[in-house]
Amino acid sequence: MAGEEAKETLLNKRENCPGCKVDLHKARQTGVPIKELFTIWLVVLGTALPISSLFPFLYFMIRDFHIAKREEDIGSYAGYVGSAFMFGRALTSAFWGVVADRYGRKPVIIFGTFIVVVFNTLFGLSINFWMAVITRFLLGSLNGLLGPIKAYAAEIFREEYQALGMSTISTAWGIGLIIGPALGGFLAQPAEKYPAIFSMDSIFGRFPYFLPCLCISMFSLVVAIGSFWLPETLHNHDSEMPPQDSYKALEAASDTKEGNESTSKKNLYKNWPLMSSIIIYCVFSLHDMAYSEIFSLWAVSPRKFGGLSFSTADVGEILSISGFGLLVFQLTFYSSVAKYVGPIITARIAGALSILLLASYPYIAMLSGITLSVVMNFASMMKNILSISIITGLFILQNKAVDQRQRGAANGIAMTGMSFFKALGPAGGGALFSWAQKGLMLPFFQVIRWYSLC
């Protein structure tokens, strides 16, 4: 009799549990969950856009602040601004992961998207170097949704669609890191580029880097409002979530409660499958963030310093084409490749090909005219495809290594480590770039070759 009452109490708890409601919905769902995929894609895109949107115009923004004594010093100051975001995120990612495990994924997602609206807008209105650094730091430290959204994607989809869900996150992330700089390149300094539309006396003339930040913030505002309708996936009862296959699994939950509780108390730092994937993720993040900053600075810097003398619009065009190619690859090829080869082998192959690709950049810099444009577009597209293939595989491995009650914390640890390494990326890359331009090292194309081998 007591057992029947306990089972009834457990079932009542589950009927009022948002996570169980999501599981029941998944059990009844047929076909590809297009709505959920699109929702996650928008949330991640709104978070990713401001991260690298500043890179095409950061060189000119630092120049306009008049903080660099020489033109060759601009790269160093640009690195500090680029690192501020990741340094802030490194300090708080684990905290936001714990919050998501305790209070739910949805509150962290909503709060994070509103933070983008506030501080990305303020960054576009920066009047000096320190305001730019502080707003970027606060944007990174208060926006902690990237870890929880990965946990959310692992929970909102059925088992057969989880790889597609993780691929959606990495796709949106990659697209955001490409469209963001494209927007920055096309919309920065609008009064100079589009004088017929924007006056030098307008707010966009007085704040030449405000327009791309404003556009991204308006998009994030729409996403933040829409996030209120997201279903919560966190279970609010003590026992672990039931298997997703059928409602009958509810009856077995009480029998497995004790074992699941002991599993949830495992030390994450002793979980080698998790920690090994996080270590690789951190190292690759350092590489990827440094590449993002160096590429934009290299492309817009003068030929006399080893650059390509591209305009911000030229950089934006290259990144836009790369983004389209990445989107096509993720929607058509990645799922098939990961299914037959596996995420680990896919990441290994992509890593090896990345070394060969980046080693070719010194020779690409010797080209000019239409040949340079075509080859640079192709190389940039391939670089982003290979990077996203690596990141997606690591996302899948991290979320499969833990259960739900530790998933937010696990992704928080991953984000903390990744953010710390990404904070080193822009600072190190900017310093290396500036060092090379001063002639204190090898010619810059040799620096690029050294970097690619790292």
Side-chain angles (χ1 to χ4, degrees):
M1 187 68 178
E4 291 296 327
E5 291 179 357
K7 185 180 295 184
E8 183 177 352
T9 301
L10 179 60
L11 289 173
N12 289 333
K13 285 184 178 180
R14 291 182 182 281
E15 287 176 359
N16 297 319
C17 171
C20 288
K21 291 179 181 178
V22 169
D23 287 342
L24 292 174
H25 173 72
K26 288 187 293 183
R28 299 175 183 136
Q29 191 177 51
T30 59
V32 180
I34 300 297
K35 179 182 176 181
E36 289 81 1
L37 289 171
F38 183 67
T39 301
I40 289 178
W41 192 85
L42 288 178
V43 171
V44 177
L45 182 63
T47 302
L49 284 174
I51 292 179
S52 58
S53 61
L54 74 164
F55 287 147
F57 62 76
L58 186 56
Y59 185 93
F60 304 101
M61 179 184 251
I62 298 299
R63 183 196 63 188
D64 293 346
F65 287 152
H66 303 293
I67 192 172
K69 296 181 180 179
R70 297 183 300 173
E71 187 175 4
E72 297 92 324
D73 295 326
I74 291 177
S76 295
Y77 287 99
Y80 299 142
V81 176
S83 295
F85 176 91
M86 290 299 169
F87 181 67
R89 195 164 71 176
L91 295 179
T92 61
S93 290
F95 166 77
W96 288 116
V98 173
V99 170
D101 280 342
R102 179 170 298 180
Y103 299 105
R105 300 13 174 153
K106 182 177 176 179
V108 178
I109 292 172
I110 294 174
F111 183 77
T113 49
F114 273 111
I115 287 298
V116 172
V117 176
V118 175
F119 289 103
N120 187 60
T121 302
L122 290 176
F123 173 73
L125 296 172
S126 295
I127 57 176
N128 55 50
F129 171 75
W130 290 110
M131 181 176 177
V133 170
I134 291 171
T135 53
R136 290 291 292 181
F137 173 80
L138 292 175
L139 175 60
S141 60
L142 297 177
N143 177 13
L145 70 81
L146 187 56
I149 197 67
K150 290 191 289 182
Y152 187 85
E155 296 157 3
I156 197 69
F157 298 113
R158 294 164 62 103
E159 181 70 24
E160 60 266 33
Y161 296 119
Q162 284 186 5
L164 182 60
M166 291 299 169
S167 178
T168 299
I169 290 180
S170 56
T171 300
W173 186 255
I175 293 292
L177 296 184
I178 292 170
I179 294 180
L183 289 173
F186 285 122
L187 300 181
Q189 303 168 317
E192 296 180 16
K193 295 177 182 176
Y194 318 109
I197 303 176
F198 301 97
S199 169
M200 290 297 294
D201 296 326
S202 68
I203 188 173
F204 300 112
R206 289 182 283 117
F207 297 96
Y209 312 105
F210 177 53
L211 182 58
C213 296
L214 178 63
C215 291
I216 292 171
S217 295
M218 293 303 294
F219 175 78
S220 295
L221 177 61
V222 175
V223 174
I225 295 173
S227 297
F228 282 97
W229 284 270
L230 288 175
E232 177 59 67
T233 60
L234 185 67
H235 291 259
N236 61 8
H237 45 79
D238 293 335
S239 60
E240 180 58 42
M241 65 176 178
Q244 301 168 7
D245 296 48
S246 89
Y247 186 73
K248 294 180 180 179
L250 290 171
E251 298 182 0
S254 59
D255 298 330
T256 59
K257 177 179 177 180
E258 184 176 346
N260 285 327
E261 285 181 341
S262 63
T263 300
S264 65
K265 294 178 182 178
K266 286 183 178 179
N267 190 334
L268 290 176
Y269 294 100
K270 295 180 180 180
N271 185 333
W272 176 241
L274 172 66
M275 297 310 298
S276 60
S277 63
I278 289 177
I279 291 170
I280 298 172
Y281 185 36
C282 291
V283 174
F284 181 75
S285 295
L286 170 65
H287 158 92
D288 205 41
M289 196 65 178
Y291 170 85
S292 296
E293 171 145 349
I294 287 179
F295 175 77
S296 295
L297 293 174
W298 174 53
V300 301
S301 62
R303 284 275 188 178
K304 64 180 180 179
F305 293 131
L308 302 179
S309 294
F310 281 1
S311 66
T312 55
D314 293 329
V315 177
E317 179 182 345
I318 289 176
L319 296 176
S320 297
I321 295 173
S322 300
F324 177 76
L326 177 62
L327 179 62
V328 172
F329 171 78
Q330 286 291 98
L331 293 178
T332 56
F333 296 109
Y334 178 79
S335 295
S336 299
V337 173
K339 179 179 179 180
Y340 292 105
V341 180
I344 297 178
I345 300 299
T346 301
R348 287 175 179 172
I349 294 174
L353 293 177
S354 294
I355 295 175
L356 298 176
L357 178 66
L358 290 175
S360 69
Y361 272 41
Y363 306 102
I364 294 176
M366 299 177 185
L367 303 175
S368 60
I370 188 65
T371 304
L372 173 61
S373 179
V374 171
V375 175
M376 197 72 256
N377 274 290
F378 176 78
S380 181
M381 183 186 304
M382 289 303 302
K383 171 62 176 67
N384 286 290
I385 287 174
L386 295 173
S387 296
I388 290 301
S389 298
I390 296 171
I391 291 172
T392 301
L394 294 174
F395 282 175
I396 294 172
L397 295 174
Q398 288 168 18
N399 281 278
K400 285 187 175 294
V402 295
D403 61 38
Q404 193 201 37
R405 285 294 174 182
Q406 292 183 305
R407 198 166 282 148
N411 281 288
I413 293 172
M415 291 304 301
T416 297
M418 179 271 286
S419 299
F420 175 75
F421 277 80
K422 278 197 171 185
L424 298 178
L432 184 63
F433 178 84
S434 180
W435 198 21
Q437 285 195 334
K438 292 176 183 177
L440 299 177
M441 205 173 170
L442 300 170
F444 184 63
F445 66 85
Q446 295 293 343
V447 175
I448 293 291
R449 178 182 297 167
W450 171 83
Y451 167 73
S452 70
L453 294 176
C454 290

